[in-house]
Every structure is written in structure tokens, then in C-alpha cells.
Amino acid sequence: MKLTNIYSNPKLKNFNTIGIDSPKVKEVYGTELNFPEISNDRPYIFGSFVTTVDGKLAYEDYPGAFEVAGRNHFAGAGGLTDFWWLQVLRGACDALILGAKSISIEAEYTGHCWDQDIEDYRISKNLSKIPINIVVSTDATDIPLQHNIFSMKEIPSVIACAPVGIEVISKEMKDFEVIGPFKSLESIDESLIVE
């Protein structure tokens, strides 16, 4: 697989923070994956969205997360390229933000990096083998709490929800730790921050 650059935004020349400098990424992409300068006082969030030509992220009759991005047989090698690019982004991140609906639809969904070279790169940079899987929900009632993300101990997982979700989670999960809620910056216990 080799990507051909058809346009390069001039602003990218100012992106000097290397997100992933894997030789494989450089060979396929033509350069390292770079980001703008990343602040130390807040997260840097990026997304990966693959759509159909008519703008759909998923099909009504196949609503799974990878029907368009990873299993798009109509796109030929292009479908595999989209899925590989997702692995590159996973290789560069600390955590994935997942919606409760996404994991409800995809029973086998995990945040693994499904490219061995990129996974090896993560490990060589002292990153966790699997990025943290953060599942977001308002009250946790829509999260399948028996999902692989929570039952497989090797997958680092977090549920981000309102305090009311703690009661819902405690009915189905026994082994979890509550961090927060935080009402201000001053109320954050800095010993909980992972660098």
C-alpha cells in the first residue's frame, strides 16, 4: 500500500510534533504523522471519520462502526487503506473515545491497534500496547457493561459519565474504581494524573 498526496495544506509545515515516526508509516504516507504543538495543560483530540460518497458514516441496515471504514468491499484497496489509517492514528494516541452505541453494535469492538508494526512502535516508545478505551455516556444505562472492553483485563478502560452512572455501573460491575466527580480544577487530585 502506498498513499499518493494530492494536496498538502501549507499550515502542515508548522506541525512539528511527531505523532508516530514508524518507518512503515513514513513509507506508506510519505512522511511522519505530525501534529501541531501540543499543550501540556489539556488533551489534544483528533478524529477519524470515513464516509460514503453520499456522506454516510454507517448504513441503516449495517450500522456497525467498520462497515464503511474497514469492510467496504466496494472501495477495493481503498477500504483497507481507511482501516489501516485508523491503526496509524491509534498508534499515535493515548486513548480512544468510544460511544456507548458503537460498542453496543459491535460486540467484538476493542481499541487494539491491528497492525503489528505499529503496535511494536507503541511498545518501543513505552506506550501501552492498547490505547485506553474511554466509553462515554450520560448515565451509563446505555453501556453494555459485560462488553470485552471491560471484561478483558489487558484492555485499559474508563467510563466517563455523570455521577448518576456510578449506581448503574455498581449493579453490574464489581471491580472498578471511581475517580471524581470533579467540580473545579482545584478539586482534581493531581496524584491521579498519569504522565
Side-chain angles (χ1 to χ4, degrees), residues 110-129:
T110 67
H112 283 81
C113 184
W114 298 111
D115 182 292
Q116 190 63 55
D117 294 328
I118 296 172
E119 182 181 280
D120 292 345
Y121 166 82
R122 285 185 63 79
I123 294 167
S124 77
K125 297 298 181 185
N126 295 318
L127 297 169
S128 62
K129 179 179 174 183

Side-chain angles (χ1 to χ4, degrees), residues 50 52 57-59 61-84 86-87 90 102 105-110 114:
V50 177
T52 60
L57 292 170
Y59 302 112
D61 51 345
Y62 293 103
F66 296 116
E67 293 304 320
V68 174
R71 298 183 194 122
N72 186 352
H73 304 291
F74 298 111
L80 296 175
T81 303
D82 293 333
F83 188 70
W84 180 79
L86 176 66
Q87 306 317 304
R90 285 182 177 186
S102 293
I105 292 169
E106 297 276 349
E108 301 299 316
Y109 193 108
T110 67
W114 298 111

Side-chain angles (χ1 to χ4, degrees), residues 36-77:
E37 185 176 342
I38 298 173
S39 175
N40 288 330
D41 65 347
R42 62 185 172 275
Y44 180 74
I45 299 173
F46 56 87
S48 174
F49 301 94
V50 177
T51 67
T52 60
V53 173
D54 58 349
K56 290 182 173 53
L57 292 170
Y59 302 112
E60 193 171 325
D61 51 345
Y62 293 103
F66 296 116
E67 293 304 320
V68 174
R71 298 183 194 122
N72 186 352
H73 304 291
F74 298 111

Side-chain angles (χ1 to χ4, degrees), residues 89-111:
L89 294 174
R90 285 182 177 186
C93 74
D94 295 316
L96 306 171
I97 300 173
L98 309 168
K101 185 173 183 179
S102 293
I103 65 168
S104 295
I105 292 169
E106 297 276 349
E108 301 299 316
Y109 193 108
T110 67

